[in-house]
Amino acid sequence: MKISYEQQVQSRKTFAIISHPDAGKTTLTEKLLYFGGAIREAGTVKGRKNSKHAMSDWMEIEKQRGISVTSSVLEFQYNDYHVNILDTPGHEDFSEDTYRTLTAADSATMLIDVAKGVEAQTIKLFKVCRMRRIPIFTFINKLDRQGKEPFELMEELEDVLGIRSYPMNWPIGMGQDFKAVYDRHNKRLELYNHENPSKIDIISISGPLDPKIDEIINDEGLVNQFREEMELLDVAGDQYEKEQIDNGKLTPIFFGSAISNFGVQTFLEHFLEMAPAPTPRKSNEGVVEPLDQKFSGFVFKIQANMNPAHRDRIAFLRITSGVFKKGMNVNHVRLGKTMRLAQPTQFLAQSRSAVEEAYAGDIIGLFDPGTFRIGDTLVENGSFEFDEMPHFSPEHFCAISVKDALKHKSYEKGIRQLTEEGAIQLFQTYQKAVEQQIVGVVGVLQFEVLEHRLKSEYKVDIRLERLPFSYARWIAGETKDIEAFARTQRNLVKDRDDRLVALFENDFQMRTAQGKYPNIKFYENSFIKA
Ligand code: G4P
């Protein structure tokens, strides 16, 4: 049976999983791949703890694998859906492209450890999803352990993240007393079997008052608590409103245990039904619809091959409309050049494979001999460009200089290329008297990557000197206000597009400046229209 173009696009679900390290992202991803048949046995995704390794190990791992496939994109088929999971690395390798990856997703799954609640890295990633107003689905993990009460977690989501929630299911008990989850939509109990958690018995009931529950759960205290909580949810909880979910104001919550494979399949099935198919994107010539059959896409991530013998890089392109066909000619809009897309790759669980055809929503990897920059647009017969890719506030800063002044040219080239890849952000001091280049990164590991790559790929030694800043804010306002601000601020820099950025050591310093200059706007990312 021939599948129409529209069906192909509508079957695509491209999303990212956001979480704090150790919440169980690797575990959940493995289970999802397992259901999709992309891996034979859950527990085989490589590189599970690679980011906990020392820098040298990490390099070694990258070398062996050529490219870190697991930290990029994974795709699989589930029923009639074509699923693309964008990975957002955690731990020390957390970098700006973790944020940028979210710009290629149509929705996000937020994974939360039931005992820890909303954690620091989740907050950061959530903010980027919020900025894009994409739907967010929440999976509360590790119910096989004792954790916070469900209502407490819902309150935390609202207080810390400002998002309301709608529980799709509700746990009965937790930890040693974990008995079941109640699926509110399908009115059924999914029973947790402590001996064999992946063996899930499903029992249809008429609702929370069904006497069958007393019989099955056989714990009066837990059943009473469950009924009270359900009543409270029905009376005081948020209604299920699709529109609110679609614009990211309401998050459907699922409770489960990834490691026990409990609740994962139910989550996946609900998620695939509720999550959006590829969404339209803004360009300088208007909105580009995914069903528009003319091929277009944008580069959201560039990954260097760590093997110095192969200087190639992979540019990850999110297809925004149309069909990609191997060997097709496209316009590289920034360069105004036609190029042939000869050997793109797509990413299965553990391998790269050549791709013949791909659709809006898919991610393809393009061999990049240095022709791409983050944010570049490729179009078939056209010349529009997608909205600029934002820069996000770095959190660690160093003054950077080249050790041997004779190597200045190689240094400039290396720094330029690494900036294009988005591995670092480069700033220049605003005051002429103290000319200094400053690099900013989101994760400290990037400094090591920078040092290592400049040395191995460009034969340049650098000096890095840590600076005490933690925040960068892009500033905008009327010239007179900006000038007044600039006169009093020593820590003013320019980004590579000459936009003014103020650096602050701490929150207090930043708030003081904001209070003193109410006419100036301070933005957390360079996307200052957002
Ligand atoms: P991450 O990618 O988000 O960093 O988390 P990862 O999946 O590596 O999981 C972090 C730890 O949490 C792992 O334990 C993992 O086994 C455990 N975990 C994941 N899901 C669940 C769950 O549903 N219940 C419980 N109880 N634990 C869960 P670890 O001891 O750090 O590693 P390992 O020895 O299991 O590899």
Side-chain angles (χ1 to χ4, degrees):
M1 190 182 67
K2 182 139 174 53
I3 304 171
S4 71
Y5 172 71
E6 191 176 338
Q7 284 168 325
Q8 287 281 14
V9 175
Q10 295 300 349
S11 72
R12 258 80 189 156
K13 301 280 169 166
T14 303
F15 72 102
I17 304 180
I18 61 171
S19 68
H20 192 83
D22 278 344
K25 185 154 62 73
T26 314
T27 312
L28 180 69
T29 308
E30 277 174 3
K31 304 292 174 186
L32 295 175
L33 291 175
Y34 171 68
F35 285 121
I39 52 175
R40 245 170 263 125
E41 208 180 312
T44 53
V45 172
K46 279 253 224 56
R48 146 169 289 234
K49 290 288 182 262
N50 70 10
S51 39
K52 278 186 186 163
H53 283 262
M55 181 62 193
S56 52
D57 292 353
W58 182 75
M59 288 288 186
E60 222 26 68
I61 290 164
E62 295 292 75
K63 261 192 213 163
Q64 284 161 12
R65 280 194 275 155
I67 182 166
S68 161
V69 175
T70 47
S71 67
S72 306
V73 52
L74 301 159
E75 56 109 356
F76 65 89
Q77 200 76 26
Y78 185 82
N79 294 340
D80 291 333
Y81 294 105
H82 187 102
V83 186
N84 296 306
I85 306 182
L86 293 156
D87 194 18
T88 54
H91 304 267
E92 298 98 64
D93 57 356
F94 190 81
S95 65
E96 205 187 353
D97 68 33
T98 309
Y99 290 142
R100 276 202 222 94
T101 296
L102 295 174
T103 63
D106 297 313
S107 64
T109 290
M110 177 162 71
L111 185 66
I112 288 177
D113 182 326
V114 67
K116 303 219 176 110
V118 177
E119 297 178 86
Q121 211 137 292
T122 319
I123 300 175
K124 290 188 202 172
L125 292 162
F126 177 86
K127 273 190 185 168
V128 181
C129 296
R130 183 33 75 82
M131 186 184 109
R132 294 204 44 235
R133 299 187 185 93
I134 57 175
I136 297 163
F137 298 81
T138 303
F139 188 91
I140 309 260
N141 193 24
K142 308 195 185 181
L143 265 284
D144 55 302
R145 287 204 189 142
Q146 200 58 43
K148 299 186 185 186
E149 288 298 323
F151 277 121
E152 193 185 339
L153 289 163
M154 288 170 69
E155 230 173 274
E156 212 172 303
L157 292 180
E158 180 141 18
D159 293 349
V160 182
L161 302 177
I163 190 164
R164 291 179 292 107
S165 53
Y166 178 90
M168 298 291 294
N169 61 19
W170 195 259
I172 304 181
M174 208 183 275
Q176 299 218 318
D177 291 330
F178 188 31
K179 303 279 187 206
V181 290
Y182 169 60
D183 182 335
R184 294 174 77 197
H185 263 209
N186 298 321
K187 290 199 177 157
R188 60 188 204 185
L189 285 180
E190 294 178 17
L191 302 181
Y192 185 75
N193 181 328
H194 283 262
E195 269 78 58
N196 183 5
S198 57
K199 184 184 165 299
I200 303 165
D201 282 328
I202 295 175
I203 291 164
S204 290
I205 53 174
S206 61
L209 296 179
D210 194 323
K212 262 197 260 175
I213 304 176
D214 303 78
E215 234 171 83
I216 297 163
I217 303 294
N218 197 19
D219 183 321
E220 202 185 331
L222 283 180
V223 174
N224 286 344
Q225 185 187 344
F226 163 68
R227 289 197 173 121
E228 275 165 27
E229 288 172 342
M230 290 318 292
E231 204 182 323
L232 195 59
L233 261 190
D234 287 340
V235 176
D238 275 289
Q239 297 297 309
Y240 180 92
E241 281 179 73
K242 188 166 181 311
E243 205 186 309
Q244 299 283 0
I245 295 171
D246 288 348
N247 61 29
K249 292 197 170 140
L250 183 73
T251 178
I253 304 187
F254 300 80
F255 291 89
S257 165
I259 203 151
S260 336
N261 217 347
F262 184 81
V264 178
Q265 193 163 11
T266 315
F267 162 73
L268 178 64
E269 286 173 2
H270 277 294
F271 169 78
L272 291 176
E273 223 168 86
M274 295 160 79
T279 44
R281 304 272 158 160
K282 277 197 220 132
S283 82
N284 58 354
E285 289 180 10
V287 171
V288 177
E289 295 289 340
L291 292 179
D292 184 347
Q293 298 211 9
K294 190 162 78 177
F295 169 86
S296 68
F298 63 92
V299 173
F300 65 93
K301 172 176 171 142
I302 292 176
Q303 188 155 358
N305 191 333
M306 292 306 211
N307 187 342
H310 303 278
R311 280 273 199 89
D312 62 316
R313 311 188 292 190
I314 297 280
F316 290 86
L317 182 107
R318 150 85 200 219
I319 304 178
T320 36
S321 65
V323 192
F324 159 81
K325 287 210 162 76
K326 189 174 149 193
M328 76 190 298
N329 286 322
V330 295
N331 182 17
H332 185 315
V333 182
R334 179 175 56 85
L335 300 180
K337 253 174 50 181
T338 301
M339 60 187 297
R340 187 163 177 268
L341 300 181
Q343 287 290 333
T345 48
Q346 213 161 20
F347 306 88
L348 288 164
Q350 303 217 38
S351 61
R352 287 202 254 170
S353 61
V355 49
E356 302 286 327
E357 208 173 68
Y359 293 83
D362 285 340
I363 313 293
I364 53 173
L366 302 171
F367 170 72
D368 176 23
T371 29
F372 294 114
R373 254 196 223 169
I374 300 279
D376 276 349
T377 303
L378 300 184
V379 200
E380 180 187 9
N381 299 324
S383 57
F384 62 78
E385 285 187 275
F386 288 104
D387 274 5
E388 194 195 336
M389 193 69 84
H391 286 294
F392 296 91
S393 173
E395 292 173 31
H396 310 276
F397 299 82
C398 273
I400 180 172
S401 55
V402 59
K403 275 191 185 158
D404 179 353
L406 293 175
K407 294 271 179 73
H408 205 262
K409 254 187 144 167
S410 313
Y411 164 76
E412 287 292 337
K413 185 174 171 211
I415 285 284
R416 197 192 64 238
Q417 291 200 343
L418 291 172
T419 309
E420 275 176 9
E421 274 178 32
I424 52 163
Q425 280 184 58
L426 191 65
F427 302 101
Q428 183 72 40
T429 41
Y430 179 71
Q431 279 87 352
K432 287 277 176 294
V434 278
E435 242 178 77
Q436 170 72 62
Q437 282 186 318
I438 292 173
V439 280
V441 296
V442 173
V444 273
L445 187 68
Q446 298 308 115
F447 286 136
E448 286 179 60
V449 173
L450 171 68
E451 218 167 354
H452 177 92
R453 290 192 55 195
L454 284 176
K455 193 174 173 61
S456 66
E457 293 171 36
Y458 302 91
K459 309 282 172 278
V460 173
D461 285 314
I462 51 163
R463 227 177 269 119
L464 285 174
E465 189 193 326
R466 282 300 281 271
L467 298 171
F469 309 115
S470 306
Y471 299 89
R473 290 293 179 265
W474 278 261
I475 61 172
E478 287 190 21
T479 316
K480 65 173 183 9
D481 295 319
I482 298 280
E483 278 171 358
F485 180 71
R487 273 195 296 277
T488 60
Q489 293 290 314
R490 276 185 298 123
N491 306 322
L492 208 55
V493 293
K494 289 192 291 185
D495 72 5
R496 70 169 185 177
D497 298 313
D498 274 345
R499 284 176 292 223
L500 277 180
V501 180
L503 305 182
F504 299 102
E505 290 185 24
N506 50 47
D507 199 42
F508 174 74
Q509 206 180 58
M510 186 163 70
R511 283 177 200 281
T512 311
Q514 285 170 338
K516 233 166 129 187
Y517 295 91
N519 294 332
I520 294 181
K521 288 210 157 71
F522 296 79
Y523 295 96
E524 267 184 64
N525 58 64
S526 68
F527 199 57
I528 50 184
K529 284 168 281 173

